[in-house]
Amino acid sequence: MTGDIRWLPAVPEDELWEGDLLDVELDDDQVLLVHLDGGPIKAYQGMCPHQEVLLADGEWNPDTGRLECPGHKWEFDLSTGAGLNPTGCRLFEFPVRVQDGKVEVGVPQDGERHYYRFSTAAD
């Protein structure tokens, strides 16, 4: 990621337990925070790239790392942000750090909304 980013506090670290996911809004971006089982904290676009349904309302399986969108059952691997069903799509990933007990998300300061859009021929 190039350019300037602004580090914004998202949640206290102790409010995002391992295996949890949360939805937060930062600088007009809907952000999905996930603390992977046995792994790092990740931050992705909070809206599905298909039809902008809130991903935090989907079915999350922390054992497999899969999130299913509640809109049309699209699936994402939250360890990478890659689309599993359908393939070829992906979630925008924000940088994350933990500092002074707070989860902080790096939001690019480029004046853009930070999400990928993807459609299928059947849309």
Side-chain angles (χ1 to χ4, degrees), residues 4 6 11 13 18 27-28 32 38 43 53 65 72 82 93 104:
D4 292 332
R6 182 173 168 209
V11 294
E13 183 180 17
E18 196 170 302
D27 266 5
D28 297 324
L32 178 72
V53 173
H72 294 94
E93 184 172 358
E104 296 182 345

Side-chain angles (χ1 to χ4, degrees), residues 64-122:
T64 64
R66 287 181 177 226
L67 175 67
E68 183 180 272
C69 176
H72 294 94
K73 308 299 182 201
W74 283 31
E75 291 182 286
F76 301 93
D77 177 348
L78 292 190
S79 66
T80 65
L84 301 171
N85 182 24
T87 59
C89 66
R90 79 175 302 99
L91 300 175
F92 182 89
E93 184 172 358
F94 294 88
V96 176
R97 69 183 183 191
V98 177
Q99 198 151 319
D100 298 324
K102 294 184 181 96
V103 176
E104 296 182 345
V105 175
V107 178
Q109 299 300 290
D110 54 11
E112 303 289 325
R113 285 186 63 199
H114 301 103
Y115 69 95
Y116 297 136
R117 292 285 292 153
F118 185 87
S119 64
T120 63

Side-chain angles (χ1 to χ4, degrees), residues 30-64:
Q30 208 65 42
V31 177
L32 178 72
L33 291 173
V34 60
H35 191 165
L36 299 170
D37 259 356
I41 296 171
K42 299 276 199 158
Y44 297 105
Q45 70 188 62
M47 304 301 273
C48 183
H50 178 219
Q51 291 189 342
E52 296 190 342
V53 173
L54 192 63
L55 289 171
D57 292 339
E59 284 191 41
W60 163 237
N61 185 330
D63 295 328
T64 64

